[in-house]
Amino acid sequence: MSARTVRSCSSPWDRAGAECYEPGVPTDDPIDPTPFHDLDAYVALPRLSGLALSPDGGRLVTGVAELEPDGTRYRSALWQIDPSGSEPARRLTRGGAGESGPVFTPEGDLLFRSARPDPDSATDADGPAALWLLPAGGGEARPLGTRAGGISDVAVARGSGTVVASAPTLPGSVTGEDDERRRTARSDAKISAILHAGYPVRHWDHDLGPAENRLLLAAPGAEPASWTDLTPEPGRALDEASYDVSPDGGCVVTGWSRAYGHGSWRPGIVAIDTATGTRRDLLLDPGHEYSGPRISPDGRTVVARRESVSTPDTAPRVDLVVVPLEGGEPRPVAPGWDRWPSAVRWTADSSALIVTADEDGRGPLFRIDLGAGPGADSVTRLTGDRGCYTDPCPSPDGRWVYALRNAVDAAPAPVRVSATAPDSTPEALPGPATAPQLPGTLTEVEAAASDGTRLRGWLVLPSGAGPDAPAPLLLWIHGGPLASWNAWAWRWNPWLMAARGYAVLLPDPALSTGYGQGFIQRGWGQWGGAPYTDLMAVTDAAVARPEIDERRVAAMGGSFGGYMANWVAGHTDRFAAIVTHASLWALDQFGPTTDHAEYWLTEMTPEMAEANSPHRHADAIVTPMLVIHGDKDYRVPIGEGLRLWWDLVSRQADPEANPHRFLYFPDENHWILAPRHAVLWYETVHAFLAVHVLGGKWETPDLLR
């Protein structure tokens, strides 16, 4: 038997006569094509996100992003899911501009955001994102109102129906009409300049300003909405803030950032009286950052996520605190629980919290019953499978938690789980999309670090891999670095590589979440230490398996994973190729230019940054590298990619023999989001690996010729 060569598969939706072979896996039989064998089919898969539950518990709504007919972008629509699992999912919206952000009113009407044109308007053009209402009893959706800068988020009081929305508004604007006039003046004068008086000035992939987020209030049932500005002149206080409104509509709790000097700022939590606009501090101290406030259904208590401010020697610690809405001393929730909570929701009776957190390569649902004090809180893990759960929605009768379940081997899909039973099995609900067939299997790998610490990771094995047909291995290094390989990934999807015959190793080295505070502290401030040696230890365990060809191994990573790929390149020649995406290269340059440089000051001292900087080891790099970077990346600015590329090519005496490549996206950010760019990303990675791992010839992807 001989190994087949790489070739394109026919569409997975038309299997008749399809022939699809995996590189490096000897076989005489065609392998059933899946969406992962065809990049066009893969990017066309529908993608679920978000989940909202009606007040009576009878309706679930999720967003589904689908590829537009021209294949250049995704459009999101809202779908209804039956919480009982009896009825199939049905589509609710079909706007040309898409719909998002579903939230229910107390009457069961559905609010959502969309830039679709107003049917009563004289123009058919899309406008700024507006707030729309879809009646519970059926009928057409109708607009409730918008602002010149659009509506970016919305919350509804579960008792009164009071609506609170956030809207970007130009400084100095008093009314919505005033904001529109100012925007028109800037546009007519072709002005894009922004004057800053503080820090930060940008976030992730967008500039901050000149608009500032404001919270707007609309009375229940008002059509059209008449907005009252609750936060005039907030400056940058509400950037990236989340908020909630009390059941009676009388109070809003929201994140509120303050400057502390030396370029630093910290988000606290404030309470705003909706009748007067009076603001008071609820959670505030310079040693912590607070986010994600949620008011209990009885209107008495606020829960928020708390993160300690790190130092170069001490990693941050994340927990939950509760505080009376009327004010008082906060208390930590389950202080002995060594996990980092992420999403948090109250049960309907206000006695417990439903929480998500990373744990051992999974992302379970947990229930925390609140006792009389910190020592009385009890934590129950509700899910015992390998799923990673998001968007928890506790039912009003206290029986269920609805959520989106995903995993390394499962795309997000709706489920319900017992709200009280430990380690229960999730019950799948009929959703808007069917699970795609996978071209392989998932298993786990364990190893021991040099200090004896248990290490683990997921291993994706392609169909057909075995002792007689070992697969080439790709080491994928996760970003963060405070993260874990425990969830489905659309951007870095290992099953696309499995479809081409590669095994993919997804390890969690030091700094990964879900293994306790000590595991994070092992690598804190020493990125080139335990994280690197942990990766090599798990790789050693993977290549020792009979299904893996230890002679053909490559490494890939993005963001922090790209940093580590660069560090690997300068410290070992064991890999046949390295792909580094949106990567940190020169830490002295990165620190002051990233979008949140003030955080970097709490991560490493200048001496630590110098000691852990990959650029110092450029002379040692002998492995061919594919560098990928987007120009709109503000988290890891393009200067990192440009400097890395120069440091590689300037060391090549013979330009014709340069083994490295640089894939540059002028209009992408930290993530490659445009569907056709995603296809091109994978085509280029495949072409690069085909040369250096599989021993083939370089073939430039057609769209790059």
Side-chain angles (χ1 to χ4, degrees):
M1 294 186 297
S2 61
R4 304 290 188 177
T5 57
V6 182
R7 66 183 301 273
S8 175
C9 304
S10 64
S11 168
W13 315 123
D14 181 10
R15 298 191 176 205
E19 291 185 332
C20 180
Y21 303 104
E22 303 185 15
V25 180
T27 178
D28 287 331
D29 300 317
I31 294 174
D32 283 343
T34 72
F36 304 94
H37 288 87
D38 185 322
L39 286 170
D40 289 333
Y42 170 73
V43 297
L45 290 173
R47 307 176 177 199
L48 275 65
S49 63
L51 199 62
L53 179 66
S54 62
D56 64 1
R59 301 167 64 199
L60 280 167
V61 173
T62 189
V64 181
E66 294 183 289
L67 195 64
E68 291 197 342
D70 64 3
T72 61
R73 70 186 183 108
Y74 292 100
R75 180 190 304 168
S76 182
L78 301 181
W79 286 68
Q80 182 167 304
I81 299 165
D82 177 15
S84 72
S86 302
E87 300 294 329
R90 64 184 181 91
R91 187 167 181 168
L92 298 177
T93 63
R94 294 183 179 274
E99 299 83 21
S100 62
V103 61
F104 283 96
T105 69
E107 296 76 26
D109 298 330
L110 182 66
L111 302 183
F112 61 87
R113 290 177 284 117
S114 178
R116 59 164 74 174
D118 185 337
D120 297 326
S121 173
T123 177
D124 291 332
D126 293 344
L131 183 63
W132 290 70
L133 182 146
L134 185 63
E140 295 293 327
R142 58 183 184 266
L144 291 186
T146 188
R147 294 276 283 223
I151 300 296
S152 54
D153 201 3
V154 64
V156 178
R158 68 184 69 196
S160 69
T162 301
V163 174
V164 178
S166 60
T169 305
L170 289 179
S173 299
V174 178
T175 64
E177 293 76 13
D178 189 18
D179 183 42
E180 186 170 10
R181 284 194 298 270
R182 292 170 184 266
R183 290 176 180 273
T184 300
R186 282 179 62 91
S187 177
D188 290 348
K190 303 292 191 278
I191 298 296
S192 60
I194 304 170
L195 178 64
H196 292 284
Y199 195 84
V201 300
R202 54 186 189 172
H203 177 76
W204 195 254
D205 63 349
H206 59 275
D207 295 314
L208 297 178
E212 55 197 22
N213 275 338
R214 299 193 190 180
L215 297 183
L216 310 177
L217 178 77
E223 295 189 38
S226 178
W227 301 115
T228 298
D229 193 340
L230 292 177
T231 56
E233 301 182 2
R236 303 260 64 91
L238 287 167
D239 289 340
E240 315 305 326
S242 59
Y243 57 92
D244 195 15
V245 57
S246 62
D248 63 4
C251 183
V252 173
V253 292
T254 180
W256 192 273
S257 294
R258 284 181 171 83
Y260 279 85
H262 302 286
S264 67
W265 54 278
R266 302 278 180 267
I269 304 295
V270 301
I272 302 173
D273 186 293
T274 58
T276 65
T278 303
R279 186 175 71 245
R280 57 184 171 83
D281 290 322
L282 196 62
L283 292 168
L284 177 68
D285 70 81
H288 293 90
E289 298 184 356
Y290 296 90
S291 61
R294 289 275 174 173
I295 302 176
S296 59
D298 62 14
R300 298 178 179 178
T301 311
V302 176
V303 63
R305 189 172 184 264
R306 180 177 69 172
E307 179 174 343
S308 65
V309 177
S310 61
T311 71
D313 297 317
T314 305
R317 183 180 293 272
V318 177
D319 62 358
L320 297 173
V321 295
V322 290
V323 62
L325 179 59
E326 63 185 19
E329 285 297 314
R331 79 160 179 89
V333 173
W337 186 43
D338 194 14
R339 292 293 179 264
W340 282 17
S342 46
V344 56
R345 299 292 186 270
W346 289 93
T347 57
D349 62 2
S350 302
S351 69
L353 303 170
I354 303 298
V355 178
T356 61
D358 293 347
E359 182 173 74
D360 202 41
R362 286 96 171 144
L365 285 170
F366 296 88
R367 178 189 178 98
I368 304 178
D369 287 282
L370 300 177
D377 298 339
S378 62
V379 180
T380 302
R381 187 179 65 191
L382 297 178
T383 55
D385 64 335
R386 66 184 181 209
C388 183
Y389 294 82
T390 67
D391 306 280
C393 297
S395 66
D397 62 6
R399 294 184 59 199
W400 304 105
V401 178
Y402 303 100
L404 292 181
R405 179 197 181 275
N406 72 98
V408 173
D409 59 347
V415 298
R416 68 178 185 181
V417 177
S418 169
T420 56
D423 293 338
S424 58
T425 301
E427 179 183 339
L429 300 175
T434 57
Q437 178 186 350
L438 300 177
T441 58
L442 184 67
T443 187
E444 292 186 81
V445 175
E446 291 199 4
S450 57
D451 61 2
T453 300
R454 169 182 171 264
L455 306 173
R456 61 157 304 281
W458 295 108
L459 179 64
V460 170
L461 292 171
S463 299
D468 295 331
L473 177 70
L474 302 179
L475 165 64
W476 278 18
I477 311 168
H478 70 62
L482 305 177
S484 170
W485 282 123
N486 62 2
W488 181 266
W490 289 109
R491 287 180 297 275
W492 281 68
N493 191 291
W495 301 103
L496 288 169
M497 312 309 295
R500 285 152 182 84
Y502 295 99
V504 182
L505 176 62
L506 307 168
D508 280 349
L511 293 174
S512 297
T513 52
Y515 303 92
Q517 192 70 23
F519 197 82
I520 294 171
Q521 188 64 46
R522 288 178 61 242
W524 189 254
Q526 302 177 63
W527 287 5
Y532 169 68
T533 56
D534 286 359
L535 289 170
M536 296 304 100
V538 182
T539 301
D540 289 342
V543 299
R545 295 175 63 102
E547 306 98 326
I548 303 301
D549 185 349
E550 63 178 349
R551 301 164 302 171
R552 298 185 294 170
V553 183
M556 298 174 56
S559 193
F560 170 80
Y563 159 89
M564 190 54 66
N566 295 338
W567 186 265
V568 166
H571 287 79
T572 180
D573 61 358
R574 71 181 295 178
F575 296 98
I578 289 177
V579 179
T580 180
H581 171 98
S583 64
L584 292 70
W585 174 242
L587 297 189
D588 60 336
Q589 169 183 275
F590 164 79
T593 59
T594 183
D595 57 346
H596 289 292
E598 85 291 338
Y599 179 81
W600 187 248
L601 296 177
T602 71
E603 181 95 17
M604 291 187 186
T605 65
E607 294 76 18
M608 294 164 71
E610 175 68 15
N612 287 276
S613 188
H615 84 282
R616 297 192 306 113
H617 306 280
D619 287 336
I621 294 177
V622 296
T623 306
M625 298 187 70
L626 171 60
V627 180
I628 308 175
H629 221 109
D631 202 287
K632 302 300 183 184
D633 188 347
Y634 292 169
R635 181 56 45 92
V636 182
I638 185 60
E640 296 299 297
L642 293 174
R643 186 168 172 182
L644 168 57
W645 183 240
W646 170 249
D647 282 346
L648 291 175
V649 299
S650 64
R651 286 167 169 78
Q652 301 300 314
D654 180 1
E656 299 299 321
N658 177 30
H660 310 298
R661 295 292 185 270
F662 182 18
L663 180 59
Y664 167 68
F665 291 94
D667 52 0
E668 292 282 7
N669 56 72
H670 201 58
W671 295 334
I672 308 303
L673 299 179
R676 299 314 304 168
H677 279 166
V679 169
L680 188 60
W681 191 96
Y682 277 104
E683 286 180 342
T684 306
V685 169
H686 293 156
F688 188 74
L689 296 177
V691 174
H692 300 291
V693 178
L694 304 181
K697 294 182 179 180
W698 171 261
E699 293 186 15
T700 302
D702 287 342
L703 290 176
L704 291 175
R705 292 181 184 276

